[in-house]
């Protein structure tokens, strides 16, 4: 019997993550400095961990509402209103999920019928295209470019639209480029979405990690007419250094939230209560910790950009996230060749740009969320590698 014949066609056409495939080369090697994993080097702030420890001592180990703890949904609603200026009803328009990845999957499965097209910008987070395909949609990438600071241009979106287009995905600041959108261009995209009756799925997971001179973070839900046609996704992994808690949320009009909840209740049921307790503490008392970590990332960003400049490697200064996306085409190597040779010769791991889509070719992603001492050594090793290569 051939099991391959029994597999779902949707799953069979989805490739393995380019990030995970590359990092299988790193497994079992303790001599490698990794700038590849998109994770802060900070532990979750102590007051958040302490809240979880206390809740366990109190016996809080049960299921919660499918939508999430009411107190957490209230806290999320207040946070989104204060930070983004848009209100959501905690009882009917907010759902707590197992990471933003689940929220993304719920949104696609709630919205898409077979053959519906979803436009998204690329280079992008590796899950977007596979998640669209597994929800029976058609993934339509739109390239962003270094010359535009990796912002999405409304004209490029419009050129990609067809009669089958139903959803536009936004992720700004963007993984892997650190690209951000100006309010002017965002307004053009919003106008286009209204004219073409599109739903927007906006992944805001890096919104707190913005750097000078562009500290303000415009989001599409702030544009006129967009709240009612947007699924706003956010979570706790990046800004609060809570990756292992696997907690996210979605805010959307009640009818769409209800559709997402139907899927969630039969698959995940609810997010873990301990993670939800941690999230309440993070939202209520975590702002100072977030700012402390953001400032640390900003210092590391400056150091990495300076070192890349001295190497002669062009690199856009990311407006957000904890990634740089240097242009390595001047070395004469492909993204994968550069990453493999850097790993083999200097024991430094970065991610080939093509792991984030074909438009990422010629670039590599480096995470400056790594330990600062390791980051300095990695830059020294990369400099030596570039000197030999060029």
């Amino acid at each position: 019997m051939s099991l391959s014949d029994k597999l779902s066609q949707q799953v069979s056409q989805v490739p393995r993550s380019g990030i995970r495939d590359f990092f299988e080369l790193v497994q079992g090697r303790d001599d490698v400095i990794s700038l590849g994993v998109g994770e802060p080097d900070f532990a979750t702030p102590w007051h958040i961990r302490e809240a979880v420890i206390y809740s366990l001592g109190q016996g809080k180990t049960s299921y919660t509402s499918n939508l999430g703890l009411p107190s957490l949904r209230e806290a999320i609603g207040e946070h989104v209103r204060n930070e983004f200026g848009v209100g959501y009803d905690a009882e009917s328009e907010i759902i707590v999920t197992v990471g933003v990845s689940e929220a993304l999957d719920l949104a696609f499965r709630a919205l898409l019928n077979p053959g519906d097209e979803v436009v998204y910008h690329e280079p992008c987070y590796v899950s977007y295209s596979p998640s669209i395909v597994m929800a029976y949609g058609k993934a339509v990438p739109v390239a962003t470019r270094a010359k535009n600071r990796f912002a999405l241009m409304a004209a490029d979106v419009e050129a990609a639209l067809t009669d089958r287009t139903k959803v536009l995905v936004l992720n700004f600041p963007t993984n892997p480029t650190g690209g951000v959108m100006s309010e002017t261009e965002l307004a053009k995209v919003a106008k286009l979405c209204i004219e073409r009756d599109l739903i927007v799925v906006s992944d805001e997971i890096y919104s707190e990690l913005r750097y000078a001179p562009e500290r303000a973070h415009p989001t599409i839900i702030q544009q006129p007419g967009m709240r009612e046609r947007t699924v706003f996704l956010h979570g706790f992994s990046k800004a609060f250094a809570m990756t292992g808690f696997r907690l996210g949320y979605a805010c959307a009009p009640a009818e769409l939230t209800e559709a997402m909840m139907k899927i969630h209740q039969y698959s995940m049921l609810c997010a873990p209560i301990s993670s939800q307790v941690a999230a309440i503490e993070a939202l209520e008392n975590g702002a100072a910790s977030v700012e402390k970590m953001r400032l640390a990332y900003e210092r590391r960003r400056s150091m990495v950009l300076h070192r890349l400049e001295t190497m002669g490697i062009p690199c856009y200064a990311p407006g957000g996230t904890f990634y740089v996306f240097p242009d390595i085409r001047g070395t004469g190597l492909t993204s994968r060749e550069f990453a493999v040779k850097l790993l083999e010769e200097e024991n430094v791991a970065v991610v080939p740009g093509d792991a984030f889509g074909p438009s990422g070719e010629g670039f590599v992603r480096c995470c400056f969320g790594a330990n600062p001492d390791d980051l300095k050594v990695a830059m020294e090793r990369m400099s030596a590698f570039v000197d030999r290569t060029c």
Side-chain angles (χ1 to χ4, degrees):
M1 179 180 69
S2 172
L3 287 178
S4 61
D5 295 336
K6 307 296 184 183
L7 297 178
S8 160
Q9 292 181 2
Q10 298 305 113
V11 175
S12 296
Q13 65 181 299
V14 171
R16 284 166 54 97
S17 165
I19 297 177
R20 294 302 168 192
D21 271 353
F22 182 76
F23 276 95
E24 284 189 0
L25 299 174
V26 182
Q27 295 301 312
R29 294 182 56 176
D30 56 8
D31 57 343
V32 172
I33 298 175
S34 177
L35 306 184
V37 179
E39 184 170 28
D41 74 310
F42 294 102
T44 303
W46 171 245
H47 66 97
I48 297 174
R49 288 178 279 154
E50 189 174 41
V52 176
I53 294 168
Y54 180 77
S55 74
L56 291 172
Q58 297 298 109
K60 292 184 179 180
T61 57
S62 64
Y63 292 128
T64 73
S65 160
N66 295 134
L67 290 172
L69 287 169
S71 53
L72 175 55
R73 284 181 276 138
E74 290 284 354
I76 289 170
E78 182 177 358
H79 175 74
V80 174
R81 185 164 49 251
N82 291 340
E83 295 298 318
F84 302 96
V86 180
Y88 290 93
D89 180 66
E91 293 187 7
S92 63
E93 295 185 315
I94 298 173
I95 181 171
V96 180
T97 60
V98 181
V100 179
S101 295
E102 193 215 350
L104 185 75
D105 179 57
L106 294 178
F108 289 150
R109 289 206 278 166
L111 286 166
L112 299 179
N113 293 309
D116 285 343
E117 294 180 0
V118 180
V119 171
Y120 62 99
H121 51 94
E122 190 188 86
C124 66
Y125 178 51
V126 294
S127 288
Y128 292 153
S129 178
S131 295
I132 293 164
V133 170
M134 287 190 288
Y136 294 88
K138 180 181 177 181
V140 181
V142 173
T144 60
R145 305 169 186 86
K147 69 177 183 179
N148 297 325
R149 306 177 73 207
F150 293 107
L152 179 63
M153 299 289 104
D156 292 334
V157 175
E158 186 170 18
L161 300 181
T162 72
D163 291 341
R164 297 302 304 271
T165 309
K166 191 173 189 179
V167 176
L168 170 67
V169 178
L170 299 178
N171 169 226
F172 291 99
T174 299
N175 172 12
T177 66
V180 296
M181 289 277 285
S182 70
E183 191 162 3
T184 300
E185 199 64 28
L186 206 55
K188 294 178 185 178
V189 172
K191 182 175 182 290
L192 183 61
C193 290
I194 293 170
E195 290 173 351
R196 300 296 292 266
D197 194 26
L198 304 180
I199 298 293
V200 174
V201 175
S202 187
D203 180 351
E204 305 278 348
I205 190 63
Y206 293 99
S207 63
E208 290 88 354
L209 301 181
R210 293 289 301 264
Y211 308 113
E214 301 171 299
R215 284 285 289 118
H217 175 64
T219 175
I220 202 160
I221 59 169
Q222 298 163 339
Q223 294 293 322
M226 290 308 300
R227 182 198 181 281
E228 56 264 38
R229 60 175 63 249
T230 300
V231 184
F232 177 92
L233 308 182
H234 208 340
F236 300 86
S237 294
K238 308 303 183 180
F240 293 99
M242 291 172 58
T243 53
F245 285 84
R246 305 307 307 129
L247 201 77
Y249 58 88
C251 303
E255 188 173 4
L256 183 47
T257 301
E258 172 69 15
M260 294 170 68
M261 190 277 292
K262 287 180 182 178
I263 305 164
H264 177 72
Q265 70 180 356
Y266 292 125
S267 54
M268 294 298 181
L269 182 64
C270 66
I273 188 171
S274 294
S275 297
Q276 295 191 53
V277 168
I280 294 171
E281 174 64 22
L283 290 175
E284 291 182 348
N285 300 301
S289 296
V290 170
E291 180 61 6
K292 180 180 179 181
M293 289 186 281
R294 190 196 68 81
L295 289 171
Y297 297 141
E298 191 161 27
R299 290 190 294 270
R300 298 177 199 182
R301 166 182 174 265
S302 296
M303 184 274 288
V304 169
L305 288 171
H306 174 70
R307 291 306 305 271
L308 289 170
E309 182 180 11
T310 62
M311 294 179 213
I313 299 293
C315 187
Y316 153 70
T321 74
F322 37 55
Y323 308 113
V324 289
F325 204 58
D327 182 344
I328 52 82
R329 287 174 291 184
T331 65
L333 302 174
T334 67
S335 295
R336 192 156 295 268
E337 288 170 343
F338 185 96
V340 171
K341 286 180 176 292
L342 181 63
L343 176 62
E344 291 176 344
E345 297 179 19
E346 294 291 346
N347 296 331
V348 174
V350 298
V351 183
D354 64 352
F356 306 98
S359 59
E361 176 54 51
F363 298 79
V364 295
R365 189 190 78 174
C366 308
C367 178
F368 55 84
N371 177 280
D373 292 334
D374 287 344
L375 202 55
K376 291 176 183 176
V377 174
M379 288 296 103
E380 290 170 2
R381 294 180 181 180
M382 186 183 293
S383 180
F385 172 76
V386 170
D387 285 345
R388 288 198 307 274
T389 304
C390 294

